[in-house]
Amino acid sequence: MLRLVVRRLLQLIPTLLGLSVLLFLWLNRLPGGPASAILGERATPTEVARINRALGLDQPVWVQYGRFLKRIFQLDLGTSTKTGQPVWDEFALRFPATVELSVLAMLIAVVVGIPLGYLAAKRRGGWLDVASVSGSLVGICVPVFFLALILKGVFAVNLGLFPSYGRLTTGLNATDVTGFAVLDGILTGEFDATLDALHHLALPAITLASIPLAVIVRMTRASVLEVLGEDYVRTAESKGLEKNTVRVRHVLRNALLPVVTAIGLLTGSLLSGAVLTESVFAFGGIGSFIKDAIDARDYPVLVGFIMFIAMVYVVINLLVDLAYSLIDPRVRVN
Amino acid sequence: MRIFKSRAVRAVTAALAVGMIATGCASERGKDDAKGGDKDTFVFAGAGDPGSLDPALASDGETFRVTRQAFEALLEHEAGGSKLVGGLAESWTGNPAGTVWTFNLRKGVKFHDGEAFNAAAVCANYDHWFNWKGTYQSSAVSYYWQKIMGGFAKNEDKEAPKANYKSCTAKDENTAVIEVHEPSANLPGGFSLQALAIHSPKAIKEYAKQAASGKGEAITYPKYSQEAGTVAGTGPYKIVKWNKGNKEITLERFDDYWGDKAKVKNLVFRTIATEEGRRQALQAGDIDGYDLVSPADVKTLEQAGFNVPTRDVFNLFYVGMTQEKNPALKKPEVRQAIAHAIDRENIVKTQLPEGGKVATQFMPDTVAGWSDKVKTYPHDTNKAKQLLAAAGEPKLKVEFCYPTEVTRPYMPAPQDMFELMKSDLEKAGITVTPKPMKWAPDYLDATEAGACALHMLGWTGDFNDGYNFIGTWFAKYDKQWGFKEQKVFDAVNAGSKIGDPAQRVDAYKKANEAIMEYLPGLPISSSPPAIAFGKNVNPPKVSPLTQENFAEVSFK
């Protein structure tokens, strides 16, 4: 187990190096830099040149890359050109919001998706099956930002059931301990703040859950259907085992293997959905920060973020493998 | 591993459902509180995050909107207008040469940190800026200081402008004298800028301890400008908290304020990037006001009972023509033909909010120096055709660049405005090749480099001086316009060297007449940027320079 973890972490190094080279080549191809984003219509060629010089953007690309690598080895992602603060600080500040949003979205997707997929498979052809299959098709096809706008328009603006933007109600003055608004409320006993944070999270989380939910429903359904036809399930049933035992120990445990893999990969892809969702709900997480960074040509933030995503993917893959070995003993033996 | 027990699933589902209902109830309760009669928090949404709590390090409106509530400059503009009046200085005089400015300061003014305001405090500020080093000298940080006062005590960059600031002297407790080397069109207007607002000398000492960026390759704003606690001004509100994660800055009434105290105790600025997001938040009752209202939403909001007061115009939208590399545009008849072809009335009527105006010259009529004697170019397609024929360009082809996904106060809907102009030009027989580009940096870089034959841009004034508009474009050769007409340059620069305000205004009028005679581009319109407030809000006086004072806001 330990060897697996260490090997995976070592694999990170060449992956990130290769990625950083590609990133630098790509950013170097883009026209313009942050200077005109900073100055807007007030930018003059002289000013732009001065700022680029101050930011070291007039240096050849390999010099910039060398500097970047040197910083990476010092675990320094540099400074955001837009906000003028260290990229790590900016991420640390906004990361909790995105984690809360992603965890809640994934929770919704798993808790709703797996039982729904299982039931759809068990009652194949029934109304629930038809509804969940066609519903999941809609979930996959409707663009995230469109769903976000619809949910916001209906439930926040017209019905007023949910807040239309932000993480917490203004003037709530919740104490900030960890940066995780939901958790902070529990830790400090300010349950109002926790409820308020959840209330703000509801619509964006449902939006973000739509795609993983659809995928999980379809995969669980297909996988359960396959397992139900297996001999060992029939054997277990004919042995007169309890229905629940058969469902959980034989059917679900085997059917969930591919679903667990999918959940891992979907978690990684949540970040791209978060960019759109957070922008629509003005939710101060990493997603809306990245959108601002793209608009402002904030290179250090973009490079740092993509490197970070790569790390997240590797770690998630590792967790998926570990989860596999818990569910499927054969993996452990190998 | 019995994690998939259906009982567990049921329990979690139930918990989620209860949670949803509970949060629903909780927030309904919260909303009731917010809508109560004695509301003590006013929430206003801007379009972007401020960059710094120290206005001296900023050059953007989102930052100034926030800092203006906490910091005051020596001069300011009258509420709701563009006339210069006393701010922290009750009165001021300039010598005839325009190089010595004497300020009689207001008495009994206190800073948020308890320090007293006096002439020494004024000089501490000006000397602090003048002695900036390192990254502070980058125009990304000290844009306005450099624009108004030139460079620094020791310029570290060869390209930096020469220092025009000479000295600041505290003649006595309540008299400060600021001297410059040369007369400047930017004075006294510049003394009203937020970027030159006065901070507590105690705070300035703290600022000076914190250098911006030690790394030299990125601009790292100093810590004091990124969290509340150090910065201290004299304004009606003091900044108490900046929660970046939640994109909100909280200000609190300053009880020792020298003037009319703020009517609402707490003032919160939040960031909602999209126009539609801000509008929906106002409609949903989540905020009490927002800026940069889309002209298309003004009527809808008014009909629904929201307050959408109209600001007076203080900006200019124009079509630029780049003569270099475009021989046809070098011919005056062709430029005149383009001017006659475009139906500016129609653009104002269909694209701008109520109060938009057709522009006859390169400044709005609210700016001192606007002339009623300029040559005009009324919409006339036939005349345009005749002029093109006379110039030997009956089948003129031009590239026309325009920006996408951006709104500016002078240009609410660039794409729609472009489409209208394109069809006008085609009616006159001109073939237009559209070149849409992303605003920053692509479009801005292209227009700067003179890479577009026709393009559209604009400007919002910093203060009421004609040079702030025409000096920006026509003081010297500029690739964006690509012409070298010394007559125009001289006319524009004539006013900037005159100390006497009345004579200066006359010189600007002549400059406007010279520019419109030569016609380097076509001024299109001036637009009143709309601002919206909730139904239960008594709005502040709105300002053409978007310098609203939120201390005037109250709830009905």
Side-chain angles (χ1 to χ4, degrees):
Chain A
M1 182 71 79
L2 187 69
R3 245 181 41 208
L4 174 77
V5 174
V6 171
R7 201 175 61 215
R8 278 309 182 74
L9 291 179
L10 284 176
Q11 277 172 359
L12 248 181
I13 296 168
T15 311
L16 291 183
L17 268 179
L19 191 68
S20 66
V21 171
L22 285 177
L23 271 177
F24 254 80
L25 291 174
W26 168 67
L27 288 177
N28 209 43
R29 304 271 316 140
L30 289 177
S36 55
I38 293 170
L39 294 174
E41 58 267 86
R42 293 170 191 276
T44 62
T46 322
E47 296 300 337
V48 169
R50 279 181 63 197
I51 289 179
N52 284 342
R53 226 185 11 255
L55 296 174
L57 294 171
D58 57 337
Q59 306 275 352
V61 69
W62 65 85
V63 175
Q64 291 183 49
Y65 183 69
R67 272 204 307 247
F68 165 78
L69 265 192
K70 198 172 122 199
R71 280 207 315 261
I72 286 286
F73 279 111
Q74 301 162 335
L75 289 182
D76 174 6
L77 286 179
T79 305
S80 155
T81 51
K82 180 167 184 279
T83 66
Q85 294 301 296
V87 174
W88 274 126
D89 295 6
E90 294 287 7
F91 282 175
L93 192 74
R94 294 172 172 82
F95 191 60
T98 303
V99 170
E100 271 183 345
L101 177 62
S102 306
V103 167
L104 193 62
M106 214 59 215
L107 206 68
I108 294 172
V110 171
V111 168
V112 178
I114 290 179
L116 206 62
Y118 177 79
L119 291 174
K122 283 292 279 189
R123 302 172 193 172
R124 194 175 171 183
W127 66 267
L128 186 78
D129 184 26
V130 175
S132 57
V133 169
S134 46
S136 65
L137 194 66
V138 172
I140 290 173
C141 293
V142 171
V144 171
F145 72 92
F146 184 70
L147 181 66
L149 288 173
I150 297 283
L151 286 176
K152 185 167 118 172
V154 174
F155 294 101
V157 180
N158 289 331
L159 298 177
L161 293 174
F162 293 94
S164 63
Y165 77 102
R167 278 184 77 193
L168 280 171
T169 299
T170 301
L172 202 69
N173 273 333
T175 322
D176 188 6
V177 188
T178 59
F180 292 88
V182 177
L183 203 65
D184 284 352
I186 296 170
L187 291 175
T188 55
E190 295 165 356
F191 296 111
D192 265 18
T194 296
L195 288 178
D196 185 64
L198 283 171
H199 192 220
H200 278 83
L201 274 165
L203 290 181
I206 292 169
T207 306
L208 197 53
S210 65
I211 289 179
L213 174 63
V215 174
I216 289 172
V217 168
R218 294 179 79 93
M219 285 200 67
T220 313
R221 178 180 174 273
S223 188
V224 168
L225 278 178
E226 201 177 323
V227 171
L228 282 178
E230 295 280 353
D231 291 347
Y232 61 81
V233 176
R234 208 171 325 132
T235 312
E237 279 174 348
S238 56
K239 274 199 307 193
L241 279 179
E242 252 201 63
K243 260 208 176 122
N244 265 341
T245 316
V246 177
R247 261 185 222 162
V248 176
R249 293 200 50 169
H250 296 76
V251 178
L252 268 180
R253 209 169 153 178
N254 287 301
L256 281 180
L257 280 175
V259 180
V260 168
T261 313
I263 290 173
L265 293 172
L266 286 167
T267 306
S269 70
L270 278 182
L271 281 165
S272 62
V275 171
L276 298 167
T277 310
E278 287 183 10
S279 298
V280 172
F281 290 99
F283 195 83
I286 296 233
S288 54
F289 185 60
I290 292 306
K291 191 181 167 295
D292 293 349
I294 293 169
D295 289 343
R297 286 285 199 278
D298 197 340
Y299 294 157
V301 169
L302 293 176
V303 173
F305 178 69
I306 296 174
M307 305 285 280
F308 175 76
I309 297 259
M311 280 193 264
V312 168
Y313 260 96
V314 173
V315 172
I316 286 175
N317 272 328
L318 180 66
L319 291 176
V320 168
D321 287 353
L322 294 179
Y324 244 69
S325 61
L326 289 176
I327 300 176
D328 185 351
R330 286 171 306 180
V331 175
R332 252 173 296 177
V333 176
N334 296 345
Chain B
M1 285 303 297
R2 298 186 173 225
I3 52 168
F4 301 109
K5 266 241 149 79
S6 56
R7 234 176 320 170
V9 171
R10 271 203 293 269
V12 174
T13 316
L16 268 180
V18 169
M20 292 289 253
I21 293 163
T23 57
C25 299
S27 82
E28 284 309 309
R29 209 176 49 231
K31 271 200 175 168
D32 283 348
D33 291 347
K35 292 225 164 63
D38 55 346
K39 262 192 81 164
D40 63 355
T41 303
F42 180 85
V43 185
F44 191 87
D49 293 328
S52 140
L53 298 181
D54 177 355
L57 313 180
S59 60
D60 65 297
E62 294 297 349
T63 300
F64 295 148
R65 187 203 315 282
V66 175
T67 61
R68 183 167 288 109
Q69 316 310 322
F71 295 93
E72 294 170 305
L74 290 169
L75 309 182
E76 58 186 44
H77 294 97
E78 64 178 350
S82 56
K83 188 168 157 260
L84 272 185
V85 294
L88 285 176
E90 278 175 324
S91 63
W92 73 99
T93 51
N95 67 339
T99 52
V100 180
W101 297 91
T102 307
F103 298 92
N104 300 313
L105 305 179
R106 212 170 277 286
K107 297 180 186 75
V109 176
K110 277 218 165 2
F111 287 103
H112 299 156
D113 59 2
E115 295 280 298
F117 166 76
N118 52 28
V122 172
C123 291
N125 279 269
Y126 276 83
D127 289 332
H128 166 68
W129 298 321
F130 182 53
N131 286 296
W132 264 338
K133 294 181 181 66
T135 311
Y136 284 112
Q137 293 197 5
S138 162
S139 43
V141 179
S142 52
Y143 173 85
Y144 274 115
W145 170 266
Q146 295 184 46
K147 189 178 163 102
I148 306 300
M149 292 291 185
F152 304 90
K154 285 198 189 76
N155 275 354
E156 294 171 24
D157 179 356
K158 285 195 288 294
E159 303 250 348
K162 204 170 95 223
N164 194 29
Y165 174 83
K166 192 168 159 189
S167 65
C168 175
T169 321
K171 226 165 102 179
D172 58 44
E173 184 73 2
N174 300 309
T175 315
V177 180
I178 293 175
E179 291 190 53
V180 292
H181 294 290
E182 307 260 327
S184 157
N186 294 321
L187 300 176
F191 294 122
S192 72
L193 287 179
Q194 255 305 288
L196 301 185
I198 306 299
H199 301 237
S200 150
K202 195 162 114 191
I204 293 261
K205 280 201 188 84
E206 280 305 309
Y207 300 175
K209 288 180 194 162
Q210 299 185 25
S213 174
K215 291 214 177 69
E217 64 169 54
I219 292 156
T220 310
Y221 285 113
K223 270 274 175 278
Y224 81 82
S225 71
Q226 301 298 308
E227 43 196 54
T230 312
V231 294
T234 56
Y237 280 101
K238 52 181 195 270
I239 299 170
V240 291
K241 194 172 171 191
W242 185 357
N243 180 338
K244 288 189 178 182
N246 208 24
K247 292 174 169 289
E248 63 175 31
I249 294 189
T250 310
L251 295 87
E252 205 174 79
R253 179 168 48 215
F254 177 46
D255 290 326
D256 289 337
Y257 182 58
W258 58 266
D260 294 338
K261 309 254 185 302
K263 294 193 171 84
V264 179
K265 184 168 181 285
N266 304 304
L267 172 62
V268 177
F269 290 100
R270 297 196 73 157
T271 303
I272 304 178
T274 61
E275 271 176 22
E276 180 200 32
R278 293 193 294 278
R279 175 175 53 79
Q280 290 184 324
L282 182 71
Q283 288 169 326
D286 295 336
I287 56 174
D288 303 305
Y290 74 95
D291 200 356
L292 297 172
V293 180
S294 159
D297 291 339
V298 172
K299 278 221 159 49
T300 321
L301 288 168
E302 277 177 338
Q303 279 161 359
F306 291 97
N307 290 303
V308 193
T310 304
R311 289 164 167 149
D312 208 345
V313 297
F314 208 70
N315 57 30
L316 183 96
F317 172 61
Y318 63 83
V319 168
M321 307 178 191
T322 308
Q323 295 181 34
E324 226 163 12
K325 298 181 212 146
N326 300 299
L329 293 177
K330 285 199 170 84
K331 301 176 182 173
E333 297 88 351
V334 172
R335 299 202 298 275
Q336 290 164 11
I338 290 171
H340 283 295
I342 293 176
D343 185 353
R344 293 177 283 172
E345 292 281 351
N346 185 36
I347 293 174
V348 169
K349 211 165 57 207
T350 57
Q351 300 298 321
L352 300 186
E354 202 76 34
K357 296 171 186 172
V358 169
T360 58
Q361 53 207 282
F362 279 89
M363 62 174 65
D365 60 7
T366 41
V367 174
W370 185 86
S371 162
D372 54 5
K373 295 192 182 62
V374 295
K375 189 169 173 186
T376 53
Y377 301 88
H379 174 53
D380 184 343
T381 308
N382 283 334
K383 190 160 186 189
K385 284 180 181 162
Q386 287 161 12
L387 282 162
L388 286 171
E393 300 278 358
K395 289 209 168 78
L396 179 68
K397 279 197 175 106
V398 283
E399 265 192 350
F400 196 149
C401 304
Y402 66 94
T404 53
E405 344 141 37
V406 69
T407 43
R408 304 305 275 179
Y410 50 81
M411 181 169 69
Q415 178 135 11
D416 299 348
M417 293 166 127
F418 165 80
E419 293 297 344
L420 288 176
M421 291 194 257
K422 177 171 178 270
S423 87
D424 285 343
L425 292 169
E426 282 169 347
K427 280 178 201 150
I430 300 172
T431 312
V432 176
T433 317
K435 285 202 75 175
M437 294 181 194
K438 196 171 171 316
W439 170 251
D442 312 25
Y443 183 73
L444 291 167
D445 285 355
T447 52
E448 252 166 53
C452 300
L454 298 183
H455 60 274
M456 46 205 253
L457 258 180
W459 187 260
T460 299
D462 299 311
F463 44 81
N464 192 348
D465 186 273
Y467 197 77
N468 189 250
F469 281 86
I470 51 179
T472 303
W473 304 299
F474 309 123
K476 56 182 194 296
Y477 163 79
D478 182 341
K479 278 189 191 155
Q480 188 196 334
W481 306 92
F483 70 88
K484 294 176 178 147
E485 182 73 14
Q486 203 54 44
K487 237 180 24 206
V488 172
F489 300 156
D490 291 343
V492 170
N493 288 318
S496 71
K497 299 289 180 226
I498 299 172
D500 175 52
Q503 283 182 25
R504 195 190 288 179
V505 166
D506 283 338
Y508 290 151
K509 284 183 178 170
K510 290 200 175 61
N512 276 322
E513 288 150 26
I515 293 167
M516 289 314 289
E517 181 67 36
Y518 179 74
L519 200 70
L522 180 67
I524 302 279
S525 56
S526 294
S527 170
I531 180 169
F533 294 93
K535 300 170 189 175
N536 58 339
V537 174
N538 298 312
K541 271 209 189 72
V542 291
S543 144
L545 290 113
T546 65
Q547 297 178 348
E548 285 75 28
N549 174 5
F550 285 88
E552 299 169 0
V553 169
S554 62
F555 290 105
K556 284 174 184 162

